[in-house]
Amino acid sequence: MESTFRTPDTSTVVVGVDGSDTARTAAMWAAGEAVRRDRPLHIVYGSDTDGRALYLSAETIERVRANGRQLLDDTAKAVTDEYPGLRVSTEFSRADAAGSLHRAGALHGTVVVGNRGLGGFNSLMLGSVGLDVAAAAMTPVIVVRGVDGAEATGTVLAAVRDEHDLLVARYAAREAELHKASLRLLHVWNVLQSVGEVVSMLDGVDEMAGWHEEALRAVTDAVRDEFPDLELRAEAEKSVSVAGVLVEASRHADLLVMGGRRVPGALGFARNLGRATHSMLHHAHCPVLLIPRTGSDFGGRS
């Protein structure tokens, strides 16, 4: 099933909170994004009290509800203290967190979640709620990573595979305008996989490089036509690890925009995400904006 949107938007920003430090960081980042878009911020807490009603006492459920509503109030105050004038609404949901955010995203727009940051190795990994939200989303999702203490680079990075990623590039261009940043379109192709796929059509690596550069050029030209005042550069690189190149490139970006590809027929939300997409959600050095798209992963076997 394809997503239903076709053009970049400046929709309301929805952020999920759960009381963790990473969720609070995501809420503050989402508030800044809402200000850039000149749109409201909608803060959601998914308590899952309905799903746990058979196992929890009435007193425990009431305590969860009270704590959740207090968390929403505290988060709303924190973001309005930082961004006076920002329009903020809150929602306490009795459903699970991922389901609550999907419904809110369908009603309002872009969903923002934090990454799990517990220190050490775990600080690199995305939590299960974030994976579920990203894997099943039909609206844009932003996973906030790498913002603590980071200085702005003035660059938005877009991972472009082929002409089907024009929507991804257009979203990135719009974000670059909002961030008052330049845009870098990066096409990375896996030389080992490409040899197997196109050896019957192309004679050598140079010809393969030309084929990939042409795919990037088509997207670049379309973006330049639509955003003539945007500072834009486009690069094509070959590698044996698409994800590795993108992770390194994300060190020098304020936001990475990429297609949130899902593999049809795969079992389990985490496995539904394409390989490079899954890697970036776990290891990128900046927030990652996923534009939902079914189909093969960016770069395939990376």
Side-chain angles (χ1 to χ4, degrees), residues 65-247:
R65 290 172 178 169
N67 290 341
R69 293 189 175 99
Q70 185 63 55
L71 173 62
L72 289 169
D73 290 343
D74 291 346
T75 306
K77 182 179 186 304
V79 298
T80 53
D81 285 348
E82 182 71 19
Y83 299 99
L86 175 63
R87 292 167 289 168
V88 178
S89 59
T90 61
E91 176 185 345
F92 177 89
S93 172
R94 298 183 305 182
D96 65 278
S100 299
L101 288 170
H102 286 147
R103 284 188 289 274
L107 290 172
H108 298 283
T110 303
V111 174
V112 179
V113 295
N115 71 294
R116 184 177 64 191
L118 303 177
F121 178 77
N122 283 336
S123 67
L124 300 174
M125 306 303 290
L126 182 65
S128 60
V129 171
L131 281 175
D132 287 355
V133 170
M138 298 305 294
T139 55
V141 171
I142 300 174
V143 177
V144 177
R145 300 187 51 83
V147 297
D148 290 334
E151 295 185 5
T153 66
T155 299
V156 170
L157 173 68
V160 176
R161 182 184 185 187
D162 53 32
E163 67 275 8
H164 299 296
D165 272 333
L166 177 57
L167 181 60
V168 170
R170 293 176 68 212
Y171 259 90
R174 182 66 180 127
E175 286 291 334
E177 287 187 332
L178 294 174
H179 286 255
K180 296 180 172 55
S182 63
L183 174 62
R184 180 189 182 193
L185 302 181
L186 180 59
H187 171 92
V188 188
W189 52 285
N190 188 320
V191 63
L192 298 180
Q193 180 187 11
S194 296
V195 168
E197 289 181 345
V198 301
V199 69
S200 61
M201 297 182 292
L202 302 173
D203 293 330
V205 172
D206 288 343
E207 287 185 276
M208 283 188 283
W211 184 73
H212 286 278
E213 288 169 0
E214 181 59 34
L216 175 60
R217 188 176 302 113
V219 174
T220 304
D221 290 345
V223 173
R224 282 203 171 105
D225 287 344
E226 187 171 349
F227 300 88
D229 298 325
L230 183 64
E231 182 182 342
L232 168 64
R233 58 192 171 111
E235 302 168 14
E237 296 186 20
K238 63 179 183 293
S239 175
V240 296
S241 173
V242 173
V245 172
L246 292 177
V247 167

Side-chain angles (χ1 to χ4, degrees), residues 51 171 186 250 254 278 286:
Y171 259 90
L186 180 59
S250 72
D254 298 323
H278 194 274
C286 67

